Amino acid sequence: MVDVRTGYGQWVGSYEQTVEDAMDLEVLARLAVPGWGSVERAADLGCGTGRTGAWLRAQGVGAVDGVDLTPEMLAVARGKGAHDRLIEGDLAATGLPGEAYDLVISSLVDEHLADLAPLYREAFRLAGPGALFVLVGLHPHFIMAAGMPTHFDGADGSPIAITTHLHLVSDHLTAGLAAGWQLAEMREELVGDRWIALKPKWERHRHQPVSAAYVWRKPEQPRPADPSAAGDHALPGGAGR
Ligand SMILES: C[S@@+](CC[C@H](N)C(=O)[O-])C[C@H]1O[C@@H](n2cnc3c(N)ncnc32)[C@H](O)[C@@H]1O
């Protein structure tokens, strides 16, 4: 078991041949709410080698800024050229400008985070009013059913696992709502014929959830201040006591 930066630093050479579009890009394509072609600027948190950014650009997204912890993954993304800015850093504190994005996205990253709250909070800070936050990743049920963390084959062919954390669907809902997001759409994808064709051994997982996608919307108006916090028990409509 290795940490994220060590793991992806070693996986980078074979990462794109290993990861299946069915896990994330095909799920994104099935979402109903995002109007990808009308997005002017997106922030791609945990952008990796730029797969997500390249997909977004192909859907008509105007510009994408990316952040990632692993320099080797960023070097591949740089070569791909899908991103305007690429920043090496933690997605919980990106340094990107606040309220500057009409889409924030994070794909195949959340299982590496010990705590979801900082991701949801930073995404909320980056998003402009009415902007979307799209998160897609491994379904927690699948991590439990498969019984193994995210892993890849090392140079000698032996499996190397990268630190993986289990976040239930309710953990996502709790973190998203606490940060101020409103849930606009959610999809859970099951293992079906498409997956069995890619990975015949997954027949034993047929009909089980494999990935989950959440589409959050930032309210146009900031949340009203909690009246009880000010010791004022005003009635709706401002009638007061
Ligand atoms: C499975 S890859 C996903 C990359 C890309 N989004 C994709 O879909 O192909 C996970 C990426 O998340 C990055 N990552 C994990 N934890 C991170 C964190 N706390 N801050 C920034 N990047 C992180 C890793 O370095 C890695 O590049």
Side-chain angles (χ1 to χ4, degrees), residues 4 8 15 24 46-48 51-52 68-70 89-91 107-108:
V4 163
Y8 283 100
Y15 174 76
D24 57 338
C47 63
R51 281 177 68 249
T52 317
D68 202 282
L69 211 50
T70 308
D90 195 308
L91 53 71
S107 173
L108 303 180

Side-chain angles (χ1 to χ4, degrees), residues 4-194:
V4 163
R5 195 176 266 181
T6 306
Y8 283 100
Q10 294 177 13
W11 191 358
V12 64
S14 59
Y15 174 76
E16 295 217 359
Q17 289 79 59
T18 321
V19 67
E20 299 288 357
D21 291 355
M23 191 64 85
D24 57 338
L25 303 182
E26 292 176 20
V27 183
L28 294 176
R30 283 194 281 273
L31 292 173
V33 169
W36 308 107
S38 58
V39 172
E40 290 179 13
R41 181 163 287 272
D44 179 8
L45 306 184
C47 63
T49 55
R51 281 177 68 249
T52 317
W55 185 86
L56 289 173
R57 294 302 306 278
Q59 311 311 305
V61 171
V64 186
D65 293 338
V67 179
D68 202 282
L69 211 50
T70 308
E72 293 88 344
M73 297 289 272
L74 284 169
V76 177
R78 214 162 277 124
K80 204 166 276 169
H83 295 84
D84 269 19
R85 294 175 67 184
L86 284 167
I87 294 173
E88 182 185 330
D90 195 308
L91 53 71
T94 62
L96 291 170
E99 301 213 337
Y101 298 89
D102 42 356
L103 172 73
V104 182
I105 192 163
S106 191
S107 173
L108 303 180
V109 180
D110 70 281
E111 84 261 28
H112 297 306
L113 308 176
D115 181 7
L116 292 175
L119 164 63
Y120 277 94
R121 282 198 297 263
E122 179 66 357
F124 194 83
R125 186 187 71 77
L126 296 173
L132 297 181
F133 174 37
V134 177
L135 185 149
V136 59
L138 274 175
H139 198 291
H141 179 95
F142 192 78
I143 298 175
M144 289 187 279
M148 54 189 169
T150 297
H151 62 282
F152 63 100
D153 288 339
D156 64 357
S158 57
I160 299 174
I162 302 177
T163 310
T164 300
H165 301 273
L166 189 73
H167 301 295
L168 300 179
V169 171
S170 59
D171 294 328
H172 280 276
L173 299 188
T174 301
L177 293 171
W181 293 102
Q182 293 173 341
L183 189 62
E185 183 180 3
M186 185 184 169
R187 282 191 73 92
E188 291 170 297
E189 299 289 338
L190 307 182
V191 175
D193 292 342
R194 167 88 174 117

